């Protein structure tokens, strides 16, 4: 008799001010993109370390984990959640630096899968929920 799989789901939310937001569709100078993605990475690193210290986020014990990125835009208008890829990549890099997983390669994480979320509740702030699922059947 086999042991049933246990699914563990944890979510961390990163809030991003509108002046730091960058999308794949946005054209601009590489320095501007670097400044914005670096700021988001710093925000995510601080949030991840804080969540790990508080115990609201723990490091997975089995690989790979599935990652879902839920994007909360500023308004109810139409948007493509995958355009937030530069922001999500910066957050995933920060979670790697915080020690949530050893590396962000395909042996440790699958995804991220992008999902639309409800508009942000804070005026001028985007939010990205990163949900980490361990033990879900592929």
């Amino acid at each position: 008799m086999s042991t049933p799989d246990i699914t563990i789901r944890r979510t961390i939310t990163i809030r991003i001010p509108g002046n730091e937001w960058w999308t794949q569709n946005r054209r601009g100078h590489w320095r501007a993109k670097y400044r914005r993605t670096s700021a988001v990475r710093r925000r995510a690193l601080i949030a991840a370390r804080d969540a790990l210290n508080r115990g609201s986020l723990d490091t997975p014990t089995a690989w790979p984990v599935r990652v879902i990125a839920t994007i909360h835009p500023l308004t109810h208008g139409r948007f493509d959640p995958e355009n937030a890829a530069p922001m999500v990549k910066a957050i995933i890099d920060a979670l790697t630096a915080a020690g949530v997983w050893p590396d962000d390669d395909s042996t440790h994480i699958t995804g991220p899968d992008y999902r639309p979320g409800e508009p942000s509740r804070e005026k001028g702030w985007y939010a990205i929920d990163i949900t980490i699922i361990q033990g879900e059947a592929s």
Side-chain angles (χ1 to χ4, degrees), residues 53-86:
N53 289 336
R54 280 191 338 259
S56 60
L57 182 67
D58 50 8
T59 56
T61 57
W63 311 106
V65 294
R66 182 172 172 217
V67 174
I68 298 173
T70 304
I71 315 303
H72 300 277
L74 296 180
T75 66
H76 282 283
R78 290 178 42 187
F79 79 102
D80 180 358
E82 290 187 8
N83 283 338

Side-chain angles (χ1 to χ4, degrees), residues 6-26:
I6 297 174
T7 301
I8 300 170
R9 180 182 291 252
R10 297 280 190 259
T11 300
I12 184 169
T13 300
I14 308 301
R15 298 170 46 251
I16 304 167
N19 66 336
E20 293 176 3
W21 189 256
W22 191 273
T23 70
Q24 290 189 81
N25 290 341
R26 190 169 189 175

